[in-house]
Amino acid sequence: MAQPLAEWLRPCGPVVDAGAAERAHEIIVEAADGGGWRTILDAAWPSLAPVFAASPYLSSLARRSPERLRTILETNAAARLDDLIAATLAVGAEALELDDAKKRLRLLKSDAHLLTALADLGGVWDLQAVTGALTRFADATVAAALETVARIERGKGRLLAEPGAEGPIAGLFGFAMGKWGASELNYSSDIDLSLFYEPEALQISDKVEPQAFIDRCAQQLASLLSERTAEGYVFRVDLRLRPDPSTTPPVVRANAALIYYETVGQNWERAAFIKARPMMGDVARAGAFLKELEPFVWRRSLDYGAIADVHSIKRQIHVYRADERLEAAGANLKLGAGGIREIEFFVQTQQLILGGRDRALRSPRTLEALEGLRAAGHVLESDALELSAAYVKLRSWEHRIQMLEDEQTHTLPEDDEARARVAALSGETTITAFDAAVSRTLKTVNARYGNLFSEAEPLSSPLGSLVFTGVDDDPATLATLTRMGFSNPQQVSATIRAWHHGRIPATRTERGRELFTRLAPKLLETLRLTGAPDAAFGRFSAFFSGLKAGVQVQSLFLAQSTLFDMLVEVMAFSPRLASTLARRPAALDAVFDRAFFANLDEDSGAAAEIIAAAHDAASFEAAMDAVRRVQHEQAFRVGFQVISGAAGSREAGGAFSDLAQACVQALAPAALAETARIGGDLDGEAAVVALGKLGSREMTATSDLDLMTVYAPRDPNAVSLGKGWAAETFFGRFTQRLIAALSAPTAEGELYTIDMQLRPSGAKGPVAVTLNSFERYYADEADTWEFLALTRARVVWSTSEGFGADVAAAIEAALRRPRDRATVAADVLEMRRLMERERPPSGLWDMKLNPGGLVDAEFAAQFLQITAAAAGGPLRPGTLAAFEALEAGGQVSQALAQPLAAAWTLQQSLTQLVRAALDSKADPAQEPEPFQARLARAGGCETLAALEVRLAETRAAARAAFAAVLA
């Protein structure tokens, strides 16, 4: 007969807490009922004392039930395990109440845990025997739990069939996954259970909905095993290793699962199924399901991209350099550097690549698979031997950590005293020797791991691992994300895992997911370098989720790293541009144009493209959409260059203005044709005059368009050929359609806000005026402010070159009329005082209205022009061009012109950046520090504080010059 366990036990290490051991001894001896038991206990005590001294959990199991310890010591270990398995299976067969079944299983778990620990620590069982025993017990408990749940459901009339060949619930089947599936279960592990069902096979009441029934069964099973009672728990059950667990029920229809794996299944899910073992319910169906899944798991051929993506499972783990310390204190033996996962990932990636053609490499057990790779010549013998030895050590230490308190942890304690307990259970006499052994093992594994696929690009960060496989957040990855500056690393991790699951169009294809695997670490590192990772990630997420496809864009990002860095930087600094991309990802198409980075003062061909797009459109509405598509791309291009610092304020103002002018030139003919289509032709001429920022070619990303329409019918009494509209009606309708074409939202978004209040008589006058009326108004009725505004007027479209010239001549004639300088100066000063009363500046960053701001410079330039124009002074729409011409012509001194021009230039540069980057109500001082630094650089300063000082000094000088000009 086989010897009892007590005769096989050997001391595992020193007694680290003699008092704890003595207390345990006293309690156990007190319960002894005879000399024979006392003799056995005393003989075994040298082996038991180190265990109970180091492990409060194991000591409690023995103290609470000395009879449990006696039975274990007096029985052969293998025989006792068989008895416990049989007793566990019997729980399912007996007609126990639910609470009784829970209690019985938990007590049996305590017996199994104490037996396994003593056999392990006493040197009776090796690692394979220990993990095999834990696995057998888990199998038995799940079988008993399923039998119990089925019996309850039959008792309630919901389940109709008795247990049979198809299991307790026909149609339901499950796989043991992970270490449980590979018969490598660790001491205090949860069990990963993947559940599937075939609705047509269920034998349930017609009143029961199949999905709800099967989900309830799964939840009851999990609760039966996981719920903590006075007797503890049996196993924590994890049902998340199923297809896309955040969006699917606990039990997934088999056919839906197969479709998922065939279409969006990931390589880490293929790796997970290497260890899948049919073990619950309808095992025959489980086997058939696994057979059908075999082409997904074991591919006979893999292209380069697929192989690279398999390799990526490994390369997401940060590999430490030789000079980086891997210490025992606080080391995560499973997930940390040099840990168990590194060995498993290497083995599984090799299996995924090679196992499709070689069945000998498909073992679910890590050590067997490693030996298979060695035997097949895929791994050096020295590597295989070192990794195998390290695996055994790491798993053994992992068990001893968990034996302290029965906690699902893989981390060695930071505290020396607690770690000394693990050392004692591991057979080390000193903590120093134990720490050295752990560190040596971690470094060995990490070094071997780092050499595998060493030629491939890393997919981790210099700051740590970036692993997004599986369904759980990787602790090392969360730590890396925290070091990168993300305030909510869990949210970032969950979002990226969702993208890996193909939940957005950009990653819905296998190629898209392969590319994203490579892009993700570059993205996170680039986000970190912006200095505003949270804001940038949120904006990139909105953009990336909105892409209709992702292969081309991701390929571009990977090939053009500088472009990608710039784009992510824009995401960090510019909520406005980021919002544009999120709403209209197609705007990114402009990046593919070779002119995207061309200087803004060069002809990019955008104007011609916009005009041609409108001309070729099939209808007025189609022309509006076509113009919007091109404008969005080109506006993104200009804004991108402004934010990246590639374009200055003058170039940006010209580019934004040229873009708007092209839109007017494209849509004015379309609006005229639409007016004629509805109302009939009318013989006459028309011109569109731009004022404001478009007229002066100083537009920003958010500027309105100030427009007026001037027309002249050939015959003042003529009417349109269709509905007989008079000229006033015809050109009024034309203007209204042009406003709609430029401002109305369509499926392609919006273009511009249109302001017509600078036309003669403002909002009270007609939207279109005749050339004669225009000339009379500025001769007899216009106020000073209207002449100031007219200095920026220029014709941007006309039905003929000749009529455009006539309108331009009328504008110049109105401006060159003689006027009294003192009267005009008084009017301008009163206008400025009124503005300061009714529209005070909103704060420091109000570049327009602050004293010495843009308005002061513009008013001064306009005042000087209209008062000098009668004597032949220069007329220039642009503010800087006006100052340059006025200074050259002697109308203003350099001492006055330069402070005003400098103030305008500085504040226009800042305005261009702020308008391109921020929403209208944003406060630059509240933006992330990197944006503040960019704003400071745009103002020629190193810091925001220095910029504030420069602004104050520049404005003060400009305000003094303004007062002197108007004196």
Side-chain angles (χ1 to χ4, degrees), residues 46-62:
S47 298
L48 297 176
V51 175
F52 297 152
S55 169
Y57 171 63
L58 296 175
S59 177
S60 71
L61 292 180

Side-chain angles (χ1 to χ4, degrees), residues 784-831:
T784 297
W785 72 265
E786 293 176 288
F787 286 105
L788 296 182
L790 201 63
T791 62
R792 292 175 159 188
R794 77 190 163 87
V795 176
V796 292
W797 174 84
S798 61
T799 51
S800 71
E801 194 172 316
F803 186 68
D806 291 343
V807 174
I811 293 171
E812 182 169 359
L815 291 171
R816 292 200 181 277
R817 288 173 59 84
R819 58 194 90 243
D820 180 68
R821 183 183 179 95
T823 302
V824 175
D827 289 347
V828 172
L829 288 171
E830 178 56 29
M831 288 166 51

Side-chain angles (χ1 to χ4, degrees), residues 398-456:
E398 176 188 46
H399 286 181
R400 281 141 184 78
I401 295 169
Q402 294 170 348
M403 288 174 185
L404 295 182
E405 299 288 355
D406 188 27
E407 293 179 340
Q408 188 191 8
T409 180
H410 316 277
T411 302
L412 280 167
E414 296 269 5
D415 178 67
D416 287 352
E417 182 180 344
R419 203 165 64 261
R421 295 175 180 273
V422 181
L425 294 177
S426 304
E428 293 288 355
T429 56
T430 67
I431 189 174
T432 302
F434 175 72
D435 285 354
V438 171
S439 179
R440 191 164 52 248
T441 301
L442 295 177
K443 288 180 179 179
T444 297
V445 172
N446 196 242
R448 291 281 180 256
Y449 187 73
N451 291 334
L452 305 171
F453 318 128
S454 58
E455 74 285 355

Side-chain angles (χ1 to χ4, degrees), residues 267 270-271 274 297 302 310 313 348-355:
N267 279 314
R270 293 176 58 209
I274 292 175
V297 180
L302 293 169
V310 172
I313 297 175
Q348 290 167 3
T349 52
Q350 294 290 78
Q351 286 180 289
L352 289 178
I353 294 168
L354 303 167

Side-chain angles (χ1 to χ4, degrees), residues 485-540:
F486 293 99
S487 62
N488 191 344
Q490 290 85 357
Q491 181 184 21
V492 174
S493 177
T495 300
I496 292 179
R497 284 207 314 277
W499 291 345
H500 275 298
H501 271 289
R503 291 191 202 140
I504 58 173
T507 58
R508 200 152 287 161
T509 65
E510 183 175 13
R511 181 58 178 156
R513 292 191 295 279
E514 289 171 0
L515 289 169
F516 180 67
T517 298
R518 295 175 55 207
L519 183 66
K522 297 180 186 295
L523 167 65
L524 293 167
E525 184 65 13
T526 307
L527 293 170
R528 178 183 76 84
L529 293 174
T530 67
D534 284 336
F537 181 76
R539 293 162 190 165
F540 183 88

Side-chain angles (χ1 to χ4, degrees), residues 141-179:
T141 58
V142 171
L146 183 60
E147 288 274 12
T148 301
V149 169
R151 187 176 63 252
I152 292 171
E153 291 301 307
R154 280 195 298 273
K156 293 182 177 180
R158 292 192 283 255
L159 180 63
L160 304 180
E162 293 293 324
E166 295 183 326
I169 302 175
L172 171 66
F173 58 90
F175 296 95
M177 306 291 285
K179 288 183 172 63

Side-chain angles (χ1 to χ4, degrees), residues 170-440:
L172 171 66
F173 58 90
F175 296 95
M177 306 291 285
K179 288 183 172 63
W180 180 30
S183 297
E184 297 173 337
L185 202 61
N186 60 43
Y187 192 75
S188 293
S189 176
D190 57 5
I191 54 175
D192 294 300
L193 180 60
S194 287
L195 295 176
F196 305 92
Y197 80 110
E198 296 183 3
E200 63 278 4
L202 292 178
Q203 300 180 39
I204 56 178
S205 167
D206 293 340
K207 299 177 181 179
V208 177
E209 197 277 319
Q211 187 68 59
F213 168 80
I214 211 71
D215 287 344
R216 184 169 55 249
C217 289
Q219 289 158 350
Q220 287 179 323
L221 184 147
S223 174
L224 196 159
L225 297 177
S226 302
E227 181 183 337
R228 286 189 177 272
T229 68
E231 291 78 25
Y233 70 101
V234 188
F235 287 101
R236 292 169 292 268
V237 180
D238 192 336
L239 301 175
R240 292 175 300 164
L241 276 183
R242 63 180 189 270
D244 203 359
S246 65
T247 62
T248 55
V251 189
V252 181
R253 290 174 179 252
N255 60 347
L258 289 171
I259 292 171
Y260 168 86
Y261 290 123
E262 289 169 1
T263 54
V264 295
Q266 299 176 66
N267 279 314
W268 73 263
E269 290 173 303
R270 293 176 58 209
F273 266 96
I274 292 175
K275 296 181 180 293
R277 176 168 57 88
M279 59 74 50
M280 195 198 81
D282 195 336
V283 178
R285 288 184 190 274
F289 179 91
L290 200 58
K291 185 70 175 175
E292 199 162 350
L293 207 58
E294 188 171 298
F296 164 69
V297 180
W298 303 110
R299 299 184 187 177
R300 288 189 57 80
S301 61
L302 293 169
D303 59 26
Y304 175 81
I307 292 175
D309 197 51
V310 172
H311 285 185
S312 73
I313 297 175
K314 172 262 170 192
R315 299 191 335 266
Q316 292 167 6
I317 299 177
H318 177 62
V319 178
Y320 285 74
R321 297 189 301 273
D323 61 342
E324 291 183 282
R325 301 174 66 189
L326 294 175
E327 297 180 330
N332 188 317
L333 300 183
K334 177 182 178 181
L335 302 178
I340 296 165
R341 179 180 58 178
E342 292 190 356
I343 301 173
E344 292 176 336
F345 270 17
F346 163 65
V347 171
Q348 290 167 3
T349 52
Q350 294 290 78
Q351 286 180 289
L352 289 178
I353 294 168
L354 303 167
R357 292 183 174 275
D358 188 349
R359 288 184 171 272
L361 303 179
R362 297 183 183 183
S363 172
R365 299 178 67 89
T366 302
L367 293 179
E368 288 180 4
L370 190 54
E371 170 57 24
L373 290 167
R374 184 208 62 78
H378 301 299
V379 178
L380 293 176
E381 183 170 2
S382 58
D383 287 352
L385 290 175
E386 283 197 340
L387 290 175
S388 296
Y391 182 81
V392 172
K393 290 178 184 178
L394 291 168
R395 289 299 309 274
S396 297
W397 292 330
E398 176 188 46
H399 286 181
R400 281 141 184 78
I401 295 169
Q402 294 170 348
M403 288 174 185
L404 295 182
E405 299 288 355
D406 188 27
E407 293 179 340
Q408 188 191 8
T409 180
H410 316 277
T411 302
L412 280 167
E414 296 269 5
D415 178 67
D416 287 352
E417 182 180 344
R419 203 165 64 261
R421 295 175 180 273
V422 181
L425 294 177
S426 304
E428 293 288 355
T429 56
T430 67
I431 189 174
T432 302
F434 175 72
D435 285 354
V438 171
S439 179
R440 191 164 52 248

